[in-house]
Amino acid sequence: MTAIDFENLDLDALRAEANNKYKNLVVRGVVFRGLMRVSKDDRERFNEMMAARRAGEEQEDVTEFYRDMLMLVAEDKSEAEKLLEDIGEDAAVLDTLVSLYFERTQAGEA
């Protein structure tokens, strides 16, 4: 990482720092954006989905929950749908993908 000139900070430097700190998960060209990279509405929906799941309010199948969550954060919905179709109903693969998503997209040190 290059040093930041705090006396002459520009937008490109800020974007580079954000990219280093807030990672995405990319699988077969499909970008699953970290929560800081999605819209406010999508972050709120994501948080609502997670809260409802933790509270046991939504009784949907885990594969449906994972697919809905991943579609919410996918940059290209069409490509994400193709990837999820290829995964199918394999809960183990979806669980691994979601685990990797959370691991990769946690804010790191800039």
Side-chain angles (χ1 to χ4, degrees):
M1 178 178 3
T2 60
I4 297 175
D5 178 2
F6 287 102
E7 300 299 321
N8 189 21
L9 197 59
D10 65 12
L11 188 53
D12 288 336
L14 288 171
R15 284 188 175 122
E17 282 300 304
N19 288 337
N20 285 331
K21 187 173 182 180
Y22 300 103
K23 305 278 187 203
N24 297 317
L25 175 66
V26 181
V27 179
R28 210 174 69 185
V30 178
V31 177
F32 296 101
R33 301 166 295 169
L35 287 180
M36 294 298 287
R37 294 300 188 134
V38 300
S39 70
K40 179 181 176 184
D41 289 343
D42 284 346
R43 278 193 307 276
E44 288 175 1
R45 176 66 187 129
F46 186 94
N47 289 331
E48 288 169 3
M49 288 172 61
M50 294 300 289
R53 186 75 179 179
R54 281 191 294 270
E57 294 172 13
E58 293 185 18
Q59 298 300 320
E60 67 184 303
D61 181 72
V62 69
T63 59
E64 291 176 34
F65 175 75
Y66 285 160
R67 292 170 69 84
D68 290 346
M69 186 189 76
L70 291 165
M71 286 301 294
L72 187 64
V73 298
E75 188 172 78
D76 182 330
K77 308 296 187 202
S78 175
E79 289 301 312
E81 185 61 39
K82 290 176 191 174
L83 174 63
L84 294 175
E85 283 176 17
D86 288 346
I87 292 171
E89 296 298 316
D90 191 334
V93 172
L94 287 169
D95 183 68
T96 301
L97 178 55
V98 168
S99 295
L100 290 172
Y101 169 78
F102 281 118
E103 182 180 313
R104 173 71 176 168
T105 61
Q106 285 185 350
E109 293 184 26

